[in-house]
């Protein structure tokens, strides 16, 4: 086990048998138990120590996974849709060698933060992020984010750029001028719902093949652990009930925004490459931009291996 003894007690408070709240993200007790088991596995699989903390905010209790030396420069690690903090620590594992990584579970999404819908009003995610940092006594932090979390990082940057240092945005939400909602509903949501109610999940071979097929618009190379988690999210959660912050455009950010490292996927089904990149280059000062030419929305480990080295170099001032 990689977390401290005190953290074991904190995680034990997450009782899968307790009643589901009204408008829970989980569709059943079984589903919550399955997601929490996968959550614990993601902690156990980390190659470095992780500790946990629950902090109050006006939006709800927020559960944090924290790695790295307490005196190292802080990085706020913001997750993709339905992705929990420990998974983001694994994604940005290189950075824990040089930084204090603070990875929250998003309120109202799978994990151990408060299970209640997050308000949809503009600025809410940004204010929530700063409330978390305030609870930790952090005046200014860098940020590393992926997908949905990118929109939160951008909203925080728009609200208070003086509190944001360097940031890495990996296939970020929040920069696409017009999300292709019809294509997303037809190409993803309809298939996901069909899979959820499909009566043949006991046939593992068929189920896995179908799961890979419906995941293909998002990723071409999911690992077995990725597939297990993807299966649980589709079958047992109310996915997509929250929309990302934004879209942000030129004029939304002040001139003193720290130049950003941004990575975009050329085959991105969710955030189409051309309009997203064009808007990003106009809206934000860029320290460095990378284009993953063969990648879908969720880059593979092979795609990301050189990118993680460049992200580390960016935060170390070498880019």
């Amino acid at each position: 086990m990689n977390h401290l003894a005190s953290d074991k007690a904190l995680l034990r408070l997450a009782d899968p048998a307790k009643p589901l709240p009204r408008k829970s993200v989980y569709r059943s007790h079984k589903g919550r138990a399955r997601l929490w088991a996968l959550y614990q596995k993601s902690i156990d699989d980390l190659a470095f120590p992780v500790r946990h903390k629950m902090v109050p905010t006006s939006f709800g209790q927020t559960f944090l996974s924290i790695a790295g030396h307490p005196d190292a420069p802080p990085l706020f690690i913001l997750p993709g849709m339905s992705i929990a903090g420990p998974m983001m620590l694994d994604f940005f594992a290189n950075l824990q060698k040089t930084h204090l990584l603070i990875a929250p579970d998003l309120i109202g999404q799978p994990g151990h933060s408060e299970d209640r819908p997050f308000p949809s009003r503009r600025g809410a995610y940004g204010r929530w992020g700063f409330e978390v940092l305030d609870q930790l006594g952090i005046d200014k932090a860098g940020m590393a984010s992926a997908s949905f979390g990118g929109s939160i990082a951008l909203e925080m940057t728009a609200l208070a750029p003086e509190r944001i240092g360097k940031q890495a945005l990996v296939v970020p939400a929040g920069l696409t001028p017009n999300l292709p909602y019809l294509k997303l509903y037809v190409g993803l949501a309809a298939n996901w719902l069909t899979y959820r109610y499909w009566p043949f999940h006991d046939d593992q071979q068929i189920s896995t093949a179908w799961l890979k097929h419906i995941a293909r618009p998002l990723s071409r190379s999911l690992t077995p652990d990725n597939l297990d988690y993807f299966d649980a999210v589709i079958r047992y959660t109310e996915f997509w009930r929250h929309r990302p912050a934004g879209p942000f455009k030129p004029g939304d950010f002040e001139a003193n925004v720290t130049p950003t490292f941004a990575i975009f996927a050329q085959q991105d089904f969710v955030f189409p490459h051309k309009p997203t990149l064009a808007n990003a280059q106009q809206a934000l000062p860029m320290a460095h931009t990378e284009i993953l030419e063969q990648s879908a929305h969720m880059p593979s480990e092979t795609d990301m291996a050189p990118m993680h080295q460049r992200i580390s170099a960016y935060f170390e001032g070498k880019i």
Side-chain angles (χ1 to χ4, degrees), residues 80 155 193 258 263-264:
E155 189 159 71
L193 289 171
T258 302
I263 297 172
F264 302 92

Side-chain angles (χ1 to χ4, degrees), residues 93-272:
N94 282 2
L95 297 175
Q96 62 85 29
K97 300 172 185 176
T98 54
H99 290 78
L100 176 67
L101 306 189
I102 302 156
D105 297 346
L106 296 182
I107 292 170
Q109 296 193 29
H112 292 305
S113 288
E114 192 160 339
D115 187 3
R116 60 187 292 186
F118 197 86
S120 60
R121 60 184 180 273
R122 189 172 180 86
Y125 274 115
R127 290 193 295 274
W128 162 80
F130 285 123
E131 287 187 28
V132 172
L133 295 182
D134 290 343
Q135 288 291 331
L136 300 174
I138 296 174
D139 293 327
K140 184 173 182 176
M143 293 191 289
S145 61
S147 192
F148 191 98
S151 74
I152 302 175
L154 291 166
E155 189 159 71
M156 294 176 70
T157 303
L159 289 174
E162 71 280 1
R163 297 192 62 181
I164 305 302
K166 291 184 175 182
Q167 63 176 303
L169 301 163
V170 180
V171 290
L175 289 170
T176 305
N178 296 291
L179 285 175
Y181 284 112
L182 179 60
K183 184 173 75 169
L184 292 175
Y185 288 132
V186 172
L188 295 181
N191 284 333
W192 290 19
L193 289 171
T194 301
Y195 178 84
R196 172 186 289 178
Y197 296 110
W198 196 39
F200 304 113
H201 290 295
D202 289 340
D203 189 322
Q204 189 62 47
Q205 186 173 358
I206 295 176
S207 184
T208 299
W210 178 235
L211 192 62
K212 288 179 178 179
H213 172 73
I214 65 173
R216 186 167 176 77
L218 295 180
S219 178
R220 312 292 162 77
S221 57
L222 292 176
T223 67
D225 283 349
N226 295 154
L227 287 170
D228 282 347
Y229 191 76
F230 191 46
D231 170 84
V233 166
I234 294 175
R235 292 172 62 186
Y236 297 120
T237 74
E238 300 296 342
F239 55 80
W240 288 1
R241 66 175 180 172
H242 295 130
R243 290 188 179 184
F248 299 95
K249 56 188 184 302
D252 286 336
F253 302 102
E254 296 183 8
N256 61 340
V257 170
T258 302
T260 297
F261 184 111
I263 297 172
F264 302 92
Q266 198 165 62
Q267 310 301 322
D268 199 324
F269 185 84
V270 183
F271 307 125

Side-chain angles (χ1 to χ4, degrees), residues 36-58:
W36 282 0
L38 293 171
Y39 187 107
Q40 184 59 56
K41 185 179 186 303
S42 71
I43 294 173
D44 295 339
D45 288 346
L46 289 172
F48 47 84
V50 58
R51 50 204 181 273
H52 306 288
K53 186 178 181 68
M54 185 78 82
V55 298
T57 75
S58 63

